[in-house]
Amino acid sequence: MKCPQCRTDNPSDSKFCKECATPLPSRSAPDVFPTETIGQPVRGLATGTTFAGRYQVIEELGKGGMGNVYKVLDTRIKEKVALKLIKQEIASDRDTLDRFGNELKFARKISHRNVCRMFDLGEAGGTHYITMEYVAGEDLKTVIRMTGSLAPGTVLGIGKQVADGLAEAHGLGVVHRDLKPQNIMIDKGGNAKIMDFGIARSLRERGLTGPGVMIGTPEYMSPEQAEAKDADARSDIYSLGVILYEMSTGRVPFDGETALSVAMKHKTEAPKNPKLLNPNIPDDLSGVVLKCLEKDKTKRYQTAADVRAELERVEKGLPTTERAAPERKPFTSKEITVKFRPKKLVVPALAVIAVAAAAIVFWPKKVLNLDPNLVAVAVFENKTGDPKLEPIGSMAAERIMQGLEQVGGFTVAPMPPAEALAAGAKGKDRLRVLAGITGAGKIVHGDYFLRGDTIQFHAWVQDMAAGKNIVPLEPAGGPASDPAAALEPLRLRLMGGLACVFDPFIKDFFLVMREPPNIAAYRDYLEGARAFGRMEYVKAAELMLRAAASDPNFRMALFQASVAYFNLAQYDKAEELSSRIESDRALLSKGESQLLNWLQAMLHGDSEAKFRSVRQIVAMQTGTTWNYQNGLDANRCNYPREAVKVLALWDPYSEANRDWARNYWGVLTTAHRMLGSHKQELKAARRGRKQFPESLRMLYYEAAALAALGRVEDIDRLYEESKSLAPSVPYSPGTVMLRAGRELRAHGFREDSVRVLNQALQWFESRTSPEITSEDNRSDRALTLYILDRLDEAKGLLDGLRADFPAKVNYLGGLGTAAARKGEKEEALRISKELEEDKRPYLFGGPTYWRARIAALLGDKEGAVSLLRQAIKQGFSYANLQSIVDFESLAGYPPFVQLMKPKG
């Protein structure tokens, strides 16, 4: 039978999973529990019934590996407690129950604010159960799932509390052995409480696994647990490290298809630095997490108190505004709490009221002295007409605040006392009062309405200085009986919207969206956008599609995934995503519609239409990111002056633009080269190299500029420097010299070109297998030999490449130009005809461009220029025509000169 936890197949008579030790469903005893009438089992405990003559069932809280958990009222002591029913297949073993009892004796000794109290092990009518402290709140795993990575201050606050609880337990000799976010409750006050001490040990002692089988939850178990070795306090510290990692990044350090594969990763693989997944994590916090995750337990922190001390040290290094406030920690309660709980402020209430009153009377037309990075949330206005629903407004505000505090990038202002807000008026006046009290530059506010049995929430984010809404949000609604659930989609979208507003990396894209993504989609989109900037297109596409799956209305993610597939030459996938967006065109914003036009023009090879679309996007004043794209498209359409102009508005040194800055320097140097401004080209290349001294790509740009200026000695120096840098496809010391050799020849430095090209060839030929047999190496060698007029050798490589990669136009075109240069006119014309007959889509003028090169070599200048014009209309780029050796015969030919003259 399949394990319900890890889906491993097990023998039919197994009681426990051979892979992860989860109890398997019993074939002889159905998974049901008696309620009022023993002997007549029903599935679960029904709300309102009384179990064991004492516990009145209020609601089911959830299901776990042990059994169902309920919130119940203990009628003897008149308090709510949690009651966990133990599954029959576990309870049927008396030894296990005895060990539970023994463990509970130790666990009950733990009396600490960060440990959930264990009360008793009991039995009623053959059903065994455990009672424990009831915590009104949500488990940490759910909080992480709903909010993604938590703010560093919150991570540290929760981490310190968990470490405190562990230190108390370890001091009494109790080790948890199955610490995970599901076993950590966050109560309404933001207090963390660890649950289920002693249970994992009891299951292990039962002999539930055989020798060498693991106990624990795979994602959180220590390496020693993965090897079925004894676990001690340091094993709990490892698990705490995993939890800190997940809170910081939204992900566990290791995952896999099976429990065993995950456990083995804990044993053998080093975790990725969490800062690589979330750059907002302080370096010191990353260090603490990674030390907790040491494979060798002697290298970890040796006590939970040590971890606590380190977390406190890191917290002291945070700005005060980023530290977690005890009265405002994250939680998501299953109980819908609509009771308004005023927060204490430093300013006395009467003084605040006076300030509020003054804010109404003396509020200036232009709001000054407001913090643009501070966000306040107003109590939502009751538009239902039912005063009994008034408390829902406070509930909505508090839940939104709790979500926003997990986003990062801005600060959330505490809620002022109700009496202070009462001094204001309704509508915009109350927003001004709230801004005056809190100093918040941005305020979230909203209304709620009743539509029959449905409650509907509307929300806005007001920029108080600009006097306008800055986050477009569609209303959200749901059953009036569950207003918190009805609010949830809007709350998650508010989190995503404000994240976009404050994130410099993404805000320019956000400005063209019809509505913001939810927070989960935003986080995947952001990571995908960073991968895109690093040209990691496979990863970018994967993350963008995951973002779109999290939020089906987030069409920007589909757009970016389509562009990523385009850059991977997977045009069918790019076209499919474009069609999906097109089917929703009526739902797009004006900016999204222009983006779709841009994407479709790119897929159809219409560079001029693509350039017009991006110009219109820039004209909408949507931010500097589009100036970069405008510059790129301007070069393709022979508008290098415009490229230089718009790129001047884009800051490559901004942290938000860093991943894109390498591309920026390439676009800027190309624009200057197209204008013949080679000194400016060199200046830009060197600025790029100064920013990225480790990048061979920057040397590639500098080599081209130096060659255009004839500075051969500097090129030789650059070549020596390039050998000390790590190659990164497609850049190597050889490609640096190949680029320089091409430019030297294009600018009349023939002898220097030959020497430099021979250096490039020597580099390519000195590579060892498998590099020397790679497509890139063979192609680079063929091109170098071709420019050196060693045509037979070049043709031999091109023949092999053509045979191995028959779909690629460049190798057939190269064979055609080689034939033309050798005087083999008939063969050259035959290949030109074959290129003309290639009508496949997504070739973007490639075949026509190669036909133009063949025509130029055969002396047909008029035909060559005519074909070049066609190629450009089909999508071929002007930016790639600057140093083509085959067009040397067209130098001074007026139609060609006119074609190549910059248009703007």
Side-chain angles (χ1 to χ4, degrees):
M1 67 182 69
K2 283 192 179 293
C3 171
Q5 175 73 18
C6 69
R7 310 305 297 168
T8 297
D9 288 315
N10 292 272
S12 59
D13 59 348
S14 298
K15 292 185 178 181
F16 302 93
C17 177
K18 64 184 180 182
E19 182 76 15
C20 68
T22 295
L24 298 174
S26 171
R27 293 184 181 272
S28 58
D31 186 16
V32 295
F33 302 95
T35 55
E36 278 291 357
T37 308
I38 306 302
Q40 295 182 0
V42 293
R43 188 166 296 276
L45 299 182
T47 299
T49 59
T50 300
F51 175 71
R54 175 175 178 176
Y55 302 106
Q56 184 177 343
V57 180
I58 299 172
E59 66 172 316
E60 182 180 288
L61 296 176
K63 293 176 170 56
M66 293 280 295
N68 295 20
V69 184
Y70 299 88
K71 179 172 69 173
V72 301
L73 176 66
D74 186 337
T75 57
R76 292 187 189 176
I77 62 175
K78 305 300 182 184
E79 286 190 6
K80 295 173 186 176
V81 299
L83 185 143
K84 178 177 288 191
L85 296 175
I86 303 174
K87 286 184 177 179
Q88 180 67 30
E89 52 266 35
I90 298 174
S92 61
D93 190 309
R94 175 52 58 182
D95 289 341
T96 298
L97 293 176
D98 289 343
R99 290 191 179 95
F100 274 153
N102 291 332
E103 286 296 322
L104 283 174
K105 290 177 184 178
F106 290 99
R108 282 190 300 193
K109 294 179 181 179
I110 308 172
S111 179
H112 191 273
R113 65 182 180 278
N114 298 123
V115 176
C116 181
R117 293 291 305 275
M118 305 291 285
F119 294 144
D120 198 11
L121 172 65
E123 178 184 359
T127 298
H128 293 81
Y129 62 91
I130 300 172
T131 55
M132 63 193 76
E133 177 186 356
Y134 167 67
V135 181
E138 194 64 87
D139 67 79
L140 180 56
K141 185 71 172 182
T142 300
V143 173
I144 295 171
R145 282 173 177 163
M146 293 183 68
T147 63
S149 60
L150 309 184
T154 303
V155 173
L156 292 164
I158 293 176
K160 286 193 306 176
Q161 294 182 69
V162 175
D164 281 339
L166 288 177
E168 179 71 16
H170 294 166
L172 294 170
V174 181
V175 179
H176 196 290
R177 295 179 175 83
D178 193 19
L179 188 66
K180 53 190 175 183
Q182 296 93 320
N183 283 336
I184 299 172
M185 294 296 295
I186 308 298
D187 72 13
K188 293 180 181 179
N191 301 302
K193 288 183 177 284
I194 308 171
M195 297 173 22
D196 286 354
F197 269 101
I199 290 178
R201 180 184 179 92
S202 298
L203 291 175
R204 181 186 181 93
E205 293 298 328
R206 182 182 188 273
L208 163 146
T209 69
V213 182
M214 307 162 292
I215 281 295
T217 303
E219 289 82 1
Y220 304 94
M221 65 169 48
S222 63
E224 56 268 23
Q225 288 174 289
E227 297 181 87
K229 295 180 179 178
D230 287 338
D232 59 19
R234 292 168 295 183
S235 301
D236 284 350
I237 289 171
Y238 185 94
S239 300
L240 174 57
V242 178
I243 294 167
L244 292 169
Y245 193 106
E246 187 174 8
M247 286 195 290
S248 299
T249 67
R251 303 182 182 189
V252 291
F254 304 113
D255 56 17
E257 294 184 358
T258 67
L260 182 61
S261 67
V262 177
M264 290 304 99
K265 288 180 181 179
H266 282 289
K267 180 183 173 183
T268 60
E269 289 190 15
K272 183 181 291 187
N273 190 321
K275 194 171 180 68
L276 297 177
L277 301 178
N278 181 359
N280 295 323
I281 302 171
D283 291 333
D284 286 351
L285 177 54
S286 291
V288 172
V289 173
L290 293 175
K291 185 168 181 178
C292 288
L293 295 177
E294 286 284 356
K295 307 296 183 190
D296 183 347
K297 62 184 178 182
T298 64
K299 294 182 180 180
R300 294 174 210 152
Y301 297 105
Q302 297 300 289
T303 69
D306 292 339
V307 180
R308 206 268 186 214
E310 282 293 278
L311 293 175
E312 186 168 21
R313 178 185 63 80
V314 175
E315 186 178 52
K316 289 179 180 177
L318 291 180
T320 304
T321 54
E322 293 183 17
R323 299 180 193 174
E327 71 275 15
R328 181 69 66 183
K329 298 267 187 77
F331 76 94
T332 308
S333 176
K334 288 183 180 295
E335 294 185 322
I336 302 168
T337 305
V338 297
K339 180 180 178 182
F340 178 63
R341 301 188 301 276
K343 303 297 176 183
K344 294 181 180 180
L345 295 179
V346 176
V347 182
L350 289 176
V352 173
I353 293 172
V355 171
I360 297 173
V361 177
F362 300 110
W363 192 272
K365 290 183 179 180
K366 185 175 182 180
V367 181
L368 301 175
N369 300 321
L370 295 181
D371 184 348
N373 296 316
L374 185 63
V375 177
V377 182
V379 173
F380 275 42
E381 289 200 88
N382 181 8
K383 298 295 182 68
T384 67
D386 186 349
K388 293 180 181 178
L389 299 180
E390 197 71 25
I392 291 176
S394 298
M395 177 276 293
E398 291 210 1
R399 289 179 68 84
I400 289 168
M401 289 177 71
Q402 292 155 14
L404 295 182
E405 283 169 344
Q406 309 312 312
V407 173
F410 58 89
T411 305
V412 181
M415 181 75 74
E419 56 268 27
L421 294 172
K426 295 284 186 179
K428 292 184 179 179
D429 283 345
R430 76 188 183 103
L431 301 186
R432 293 201 293 266
V433 170
L434 183 56
I437 295 171
T438 62
K442 296 175 178 65
I443 292 182
V444 179
H445 63 105
D447 306 325
Y448 53 101
F449 304 81
L450 276 182
R451 300 285 187 266
D453 293 331
T454 298
I455 188 167
Q456 189 174 75
F457 291 91
H458 298 244
W460 302 268
V461 179
Q462 189 80 1
D463 185 317
M464 298 305 292
K468 64 179 182 180
N469 174 46
I470 56 173
V471 179
L473 293 160
E474 295 293 327
S481 59
D482 193 355
L487 175 70
E488 191 62 12
L490 184 61
R491 185 178 85 115
L492 295 176
R493 207 169 290 280
L494 266 168
M495 293 166 66
L498 278 162
C500 291
V501 166
F502 284 96
D503 192 322
F505 190 81
I506 203 173
K507 66 180 181 181
D508 291 346
F509 292 87
F510 167 66
L511 291 170
V512 303
M513 299 180 200
R514 179 171 184 145
E515 62 177 333
N518 64 39
I519 189 66
Y522 156 78
R523 294 185 192 282
D524 282 332
Y525 180 88
L526 178 61
E527 188 176 346
R530 293 187 184 281
F532 197 105
R534 298 189 299 269
M535 297 194 295
E536 298 170 3
Y537 298 124
V538 173
K539 182 178 181 181
E542 175 188 335
L543 287 162
M544 292 300 178
L545 290 177
R546 194 163 76 186
S550 296
D551 187 345
N553 294 325
F554 189 24
R555 297 172 189 87
M556 180 64 74
L558 293 177
F559 164 81
Q560 291 283 32
S562 179
V563 178
Y565 281 129
F566 181 92
N567 290 344
L568 290 166
Q570 296 182 29
Y571 304 116
D572 53 341
K573 291 184 178 179
E575 188 77 62
E576 178 188 352
L577 292 176
S578 171
S579 297
R580 281 177 60 183
I581 304 170
E582 175 63 44
S583 66
D584 289 335
R585 185 181 280 272
L587 302 175
L588 303 181
S589 68
K590 182 179 179 182
E592 288 172 329
S593 185
Q594 282 298 339
L595 277 176
L596 179 56
N597 292 342
W598 181 90
L599 176 61
Q600 290 174 339
M602 180 170 69
L603 286 166
H604 300 152
D606 192 340
S607 296
E608 284 288 347
K610 182 167 170 266
F611 183 41
R612 288 194 299 271
S613 292
V614 80
R615 270 177 162 176
Q616 290 185 45
I617 294 169
V618 171
M620 294 165 62
Q621 298 181 340
T622 54
T624 60
T625 297
W626 298 105
N627 290 315
Y628 160 75
Q629 186 62 54
N630 192 6
L632 180 63
D633 287 335
N635 280 347
R636 293 186 62 87
C637 293
N638 202 19
Y639 290 86
R641 291 189 185 89
E642 180 166 339
V644 172
K645 181 180 177 181
V646 296
L647 288 172
L649 303 174
W650 200 83
D651 179 10
Y653 302 106
S654 162
E655 186 61 31
N657 294 336
R658 181 174 176 81
D659 288 333
W660 297 80
R662 293 176 178 83
N663 303 327
Y664 166 88
W665 296 116
V667 176
L668 184 59
T669 54
T670 298
H672 286 307
R673 184 171 71 254
M674 292 173 71
L675 289 168
S677 305
H678 299 300
K679 289 184 178 179
Q680 291 299 319
E681 179 187 0
L682 179 60
K683 182 179 178 180
R686 286 181 167 171
R687 286 172 62 197
R689 189 177 172 199
K690 186 175 182 180
Q691 185 178 7
F692 300 102
E694 79 292 348
S695 174
L696 264 172
R697 187 176 179 182
M698 298 302 117
L699 265 72
Y700 181 89
Y701 299 148
E702 185 175 349
L706 289 169
L709 294 168
R711 293 171 56 171
V712 182
E713 291 182 2
D714 286 335
I715 294 172
D716 291 336
R717 174 182 50 77
L718 211 65
Y719 180 44
E720 293 305 315
E721 291 179 22
S722 72
K723 295 175 183 178
S724 65
L725 300 181
S728 57
V729 177
Y731 304 101
S732 69
T735 57
V736 168
M737 297 306 278
L738 172 56
R739 186 76 183 88
R742 293 177 65 183
E743 285 297 322
L744 284 167
R745 173 159 178 157
H747 289 86
F749 303 100
R750 287 293 187 97
E751 291 183 7
D752 292 317
S753 171
V754 170
R755 183 177 64 81
V756 168
L757 287 169
N758 276 311
Q759 286 179 299
L761 186 62
Q762 183 180 8
W763 170 269
F764 296 134
E765 291 179 340
S766 67
R767 301 304 92 200
T768 57
S769 183
E771 184 181 352
I772 196 169
T773 57
S774 69
E775 181 186 1
D776 284 338
N777 183 281
R778 293 157 66 193
S779 177
D780 287 335
R781 276 190 286 150
L783 177 57
T784 308
L785 289 165
Y786 181 85
I787 301 173
L788 286 169
D789 293 322
R790 293 165 61 174
L791 299 177
D792 288 335
E793 295 169 84
K795 185 176 182 298
L797 284 168
L798 288 168
D799 280 330
L801 287 164
R802 172 68 176 164
D804 291 343
F805 306 99
K808 294 193 174 182
V809 172
N810 285 354
Y811 303 135
L812 178 61
L815 288 169
T817 55
R821 287 182 70 180
K822 290 180 67 177
E824 299 170 353
K825 182 176 181 180
E826 185 175 340
E827 174 67 6
L829 289 174
R830 183 193 67 77
I831 292 176
S832 180
K833 184 66 174 177
E834 185 176 346
L835 288 166
E836 183 181 13
E837 292 172 351
D838 191 343
K839 303 300 183 183
R840 290 175 294 161
Y842 312 121
L843 295 178
F844 308 108
T848 311
Y849 157 76
W850 281 103
R851 293 181 63 219
R853 289 178 64 165
I854 293 170
L857 289 168
L858 294 177
D860 182 4
K861 295 182 179 182
E862 182 179 353
V865 172
S866 175
L867 288 167
L868 259 183
R869 288 197 181 99
Q870 290 180 44
I872 290 166
K873 286 183 179 179
Q874 293 165 354
F876 206 81
S877 172
Y878 274 95
N880 296 327
L881 300 176
Q882 298 300 308
S883 57
I884 303 302
V885 63
D886 296 335
F887 292 143
E888 289 175 354
S889 63
L890 299 179
Y893 180 57
F896 179 75
V897 172
Q898 186 63 33
L899 178 65
M900 297 303 296
K901 184 178 179 180
K903 294 184 283 187

